[in-house]
Amino acid sequence: VASLLVRAERPDLGPMRPTPDSAWRDLAQGWSAFHAKDYARADGLLQSALQKMPNLRPACEWQAVAKARLKQRAEAEETLDRCQRMFPDPERRKQLADHIFNATD
């Protein structure tokens, strides 16, 4: 998939292959889409990550933020509630809600 440092005398590794399909790949691509402000794509990728690994906390929380950025407040609230059912932390939920519903893009 990748190489960081390779000795010059090492034989050629050949062409790189795409990262295997996984929740982690969808999470990484969703994060990239989010930071490119492509919130609809981010939402879809994060949903895909959650379908593959339902307890992936960053995907759940970032999806709530993406939904908020898409002006889907009710869906963002529902997503935060779903995250809370998996990872109970009322203070974190309050902080996330304050951040995503009071943030400017």
Side-chain angles (χ1 to χ4, degrees), residues 1-7 13 16:
V1 173
S3 62
L4 180 59
L5 298 171
V6 180
R7 293 184 181 273
L13 296 174
M16 297 288 174

Side-chain angles (χ1 to χ4, degrees), residues 5 8 17 24 30 52:
L5 298 171
R17 294 180 309 275
W24 296 106
K52 293 171 185 158

Side-chain angles (χ1 to χ4, degrees), residues 49-66:
L50 289 166
Q51 288 171 343
K52 293 171 185 158
M53 187 183 293
N55 62 344
L56 191 57
R57 183 178 188 163
C60 190
E61 292 177 349
W62 291 348
Q63 186 180 39
V65 179

Side-chain angles (χ1 to χ4, degrees), residues 6-12:
V6 180
R7 293 184 181 273
E9 63 273 6
R10 182 174 169 90
D12 183 16

Side-chain angles (χ1 to χ4, degrees), residues 60 63-65 67-68 72-85 93 96-98 100-101:
C60 190
Q63 186 180 39
V65 179
K67 288 183 180 301
Q72 299 173 355
R73 184 180 177 106
E75 292 88 346
E77 290 272 5
E78 289 170 13
T79 302
L80 282 177
D81 291 341
R82 188 178 73 237
C83 297
Q84 275 298 296
R85 285 191 297 277
R93 194 220 186 270
L96 283 168
D98 288 345
I100 66 177
F101 297 122

